[in-house]
């Protein structure tokens, strides 16, 4: 852990020079070679820029456009960073566009993605399908749920697809001397003003019907993840492994007694409980996804500053009970990508794809179309 914390701290401090300057410039047919963190799929350069903005350490990016001809890497969004915080090399390259993170700009925490993409297929992550007259109706159906959509224009088939909208720390584990929690400004998809009356069943597990397993911090975090997934019918949280098991079975729920496990149902058609966002978890490390660290006097100050920072979604604070005093009082600000991001994108004729419009500020109320 020590090596990891030192590296993250150095990267964060060095990146301040670039991240403090808002740069919206897009450089067409210019490549920023090397320094890749990872690549994601994006339908266009604006989506790629938003991915870079939401990634905790991305400072700049290169997007491979649909008109790229050298190979089949269309729609590749290369997220990049380096220790200097500046682009070291720029090279001319046809078919790509490069740009910068918008972390230093006025942020859209839930960016509006109104474009639709003819002859582009968002592959995977389907949770249901229905028939619609056109892609507009498919998009309206998608707007009722978090995620994105794809339509087959000939068969009038509309595929609704899921993308996580609630922060999921990449690794959750027990660690003496650390305190972790969430920003109280984490966006939860609310569907009603009526308060939910959720119920949890401790020491109960559902061993089958797995839909998806995610790292989870507590039963309430797991319930929020289940509530945000349209296909989740119930869940089981394992507190020993910090695993959130989302389940899908509309016919039955077979339970067993199991210590350390909590089972419950999603909260839908009511106002999601947000009190779990206020809880600090002693002895828990939310490892990875660091934006930067700052020195704080206590865990309460760490959570307060995370809540005030629009980029921060969750945090880990190092107390004086941690075995290495060099890290005492460090507050690590963290985040993950929570915007819609298809797992794969390809060219495909007679298909139209796009995103839900719930995040868009329009005169029309898209939550009631």
């Amino acid at each position: 852990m020590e090596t990891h914390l030192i590296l993250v701290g150095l990267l964060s401090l060095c990146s301040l020079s670039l991240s403090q300057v808002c740069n919206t410039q897009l450089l067409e047919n210019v490549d920023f070679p090397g320094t890749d963190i990872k690549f994601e799929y994006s339908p266009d350069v604006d989506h790629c820029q938003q991915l870079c903005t939401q990634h905790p350490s991305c400072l700049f990016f290169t997007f491979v456009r649909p008109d790229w001809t050298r190979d089949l890497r269309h729609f590749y969004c290369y997220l990049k960073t380096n220790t200097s915080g500046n682009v070291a090399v720029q090279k001319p390259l046809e078919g790509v566009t490069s740009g910068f993170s918008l972390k230093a700009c006025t942020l859209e925490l839930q960016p509006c993605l109104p474009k639709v993409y003819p002859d582009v297929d968002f592959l995977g992550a389907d949770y249901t399908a229905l028939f619609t007259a056109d892609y507009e109706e498919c998009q309206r159906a998608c707007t009722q749920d978090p995620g994105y959509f794809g339509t087959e224009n000939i068969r009038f088939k509309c595929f609704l697809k899921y993308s996580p909208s609630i922060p999921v720390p990449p690794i959750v584990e027990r660690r003496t001397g650390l305190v972790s929690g969430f920003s109280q400004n984490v966006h939860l998809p609310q569907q009603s003003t009526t308060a939910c009356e959720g119920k949890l069943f401790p020491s109960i597990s559902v061993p089958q019907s797995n839909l998806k397993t995610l790292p989870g911090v507590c039963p309430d975090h797991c319930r929020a993840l289940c509530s945000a997934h349209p296909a989740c019918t119930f869940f089981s949280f394992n507190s020993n492994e910090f695993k959130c098991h989302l389940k899908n079975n509309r016919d039955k729920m077979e339970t067993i007694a199991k210590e350390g496990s909590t089972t419950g149902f999603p909260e839908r058609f009511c106002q999601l409980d947000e009190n779990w966002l206020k809880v600090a978890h002693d002895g828990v490390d939310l490892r990875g996804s660091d934006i930067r660290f700052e020195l704080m006097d206590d865990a309460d100050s760490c959570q307060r500053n995370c809540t005030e920072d629009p980029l921060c979604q969750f945090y880990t604070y190092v107390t004086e009970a941690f075995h290495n005093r060099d890290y005492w009082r460090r507050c690590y600000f963290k985040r993950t990508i929570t915007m819609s991001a298809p797992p794969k994108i390809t060219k495909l004729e007679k298909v139209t794809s796009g995103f839900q419009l719930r995040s868009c500020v329009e005169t029309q109320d898209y939550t009631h179309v």
Side-chain angles (χ1 to χ4, degrees):
M1 177 178 178
E2 287 80 5
T3 302
H4 171 76
L5 293 178
I6 291 172
L7 177 60
V8 169
L10 289 173
L11 285 172
S12 301
L13 290 173
C14 291
S15 68
L16 288 178
S17 60
L18 182 63
S19 63
Q20 289 174 346
V21 178
C22 176
N23 189 343
T24 61
Q25 184 181 18
L26 295 175
L27 305 175
E28 192 168 330
N29 298 321
V30 173
D31 181 28
F32 295 165
T35 68
D36 296 0
I37 305 169
K38 62 185 298 189
F39 84 86
E40 300 275 2
Y41 284 96
S42 284
D44 60 23
V45 67
D46 294 326
H47 184 272
C48 182
Q49 187 170 49
Q50 291 292 345
L51 285 179
C52 180
T53 300
Q54 289 206 356
H55 189 279
S57 57
C58 182
L59 299 177
F60 34 89
F61 65 89
T62 293
F63 173 67
V64 184
R65 302 193 308 263
D67 61 325
W68 169 264
T69 58
R70 296 194 178 192
D71 51 39
L72 298 179
R73 287 180 297 161
H74 308 110
F75 308 110
Y76 276 39
C77 174
Y78 288 94
L79 308 183
K80 300 168 179 283
T81 193
N82 60 23
T83 55
S84 71
N86 297 296
V87 177
V89 179
Q90 300 183 29
K91 291 185 177 180
L93 185 62
E94 290 290 326
V96 304
T97 300
S98 297
F100 304 89
S101 163
L102 301 177
K103 291 181 176 68
C105 308
T106 301
L107 292 177
E108 295 179 71
L109 298 180
Q110 299 295 324
C112 172
L113 304 170
K115 295 181 184 177
V116 294
Y117 305 92
D119 300 324
V120 173
D121 188 16
F122 291 176
L123 288 169
D126 299 22
Y127 66 86
T128 194
L130 60 153
F131 291 98
T132 59
D134 48 38
Y135 76 80
E136 289 97 338
E137 186 177 352
C138 185
Q139 189 172 44
R140 287 194 293 271
C142 179
T143 296
Q144 304 304 310
D145 294 320
Y148 49 99
F149 71 91
T151 63
E152 294 180 355
N153 299 343
I154 294 179
R155 296 195 298 162
F156 305 103
K157 200 73 174 288
C158 169
F159 297 92
L160 302 186
K161 300 162 182 281
Y162 168 74
S163 186
S165 58
I166 291 177
V168 180
I171 299 174
V172 184
E173 59 188 8
R174 298 197 185 280
R175 201 70 185 269
T176 301
L178 302 181
V179 178
S180 298
F182 290 87
S183 163
Q184 295 183 40
N185 282 331
V186 165
H187 173 75
L188 299 180
Q190 301 289 2
Q191 299 185 17
S192 172
T193 57
T194 302
C196 295
E197 297 182 4
K199 185 175 183 180
L200 297 173
F201 303 91
S203 302
I204 296 294
S205 177
V206 181
Q208 298 178 344
S209 305
N210 279 343
L211 171 67
K212 192 178 186 67
T213 297
L214 299 167
V217 180
C218 62
D220 288 306
H221 179 224
C222 189
R223 177 165 54 190
L225 293 173
C226 180
S227 301
H229 197 305
C232 183
T233 54
F234 44 90
F235 68 89
S236 288
F237 175 73
N238 187 318
S239 60
N240 297 318
E241 300 176 353
F242 292 104
K243 296 295 185 183
C244 174
H245 302 284
L246 306 185
K247 310 283 185 172
N248 175 260
N249 191 325
R250 299 184 184 276
D251 298 321
K252 60 182 178 179
M253 184 177 73
E254 297 181 348
T255 63
I256 61 172
K258 185 176 181 180
E259 288 299 319
S261 181
T262 301
T263 292
F265 304 108
E267 295 179 323
R268 298 203 176 104
F269 314 111
C270 57
Q271 188 173 31
L272 299 182
D273 178 22
E274 298 182 350
N275 289 324
W276 62 273
L277 295 173
K278 303 175 184 178
V279 178
H281 301 274
D282 193 15
V284 174
D285 184 14
L286 307 184
R287 185 153 60 91
S289 292
D290 296 26
I291 304 170
R292 67 183 187 281
F293 72 81
E294 297 179 7
L295 296 180
M296 306 275 175
D297 290 333
D298 50 48
D300 290 340
S301 299
C302 185
Q303 184 182 51
R304 184 170 60 254
N305 280 271
C306 175
T307 298
E308 292 172 354
D309 188 322
L311 282 173
C312 186
Q313 296 172 332
F314 49 98
Y315 66 90
T316 291
Y317 180 75
V318 186
T319 73
E320 295 184 4
F322 188 65
H323 66 90
N324 189 331
R325 65 183 301 129
D326 292 342
Y327 302 96
W328 290 359
R329 300 179 58 238
R330 290 187 181 186
C331 173
Y332 287 88
F333 293 67
K334 302 165 180 278
R335 74 163 293 117
T336 59
I337 294 173
T338 51
M339 62 181 286
S340 296
K344 190 171 183 179
I345 301 177
T346 63
K347 295 180 180 181
L348 186 62
E349 291 184 356
K350 300 178 180 179
V351 166
T352 301
S353 299
F355 300 95
Q356 54 87 8
L357 300 176
R358 186 175 295 185
S359 302
C360 299
V361 179
E362 300 277 349
T363 55
Q364 182 179 10
D365 182 2
Y366 285 105
T367 64
H368 293 89
V369 293

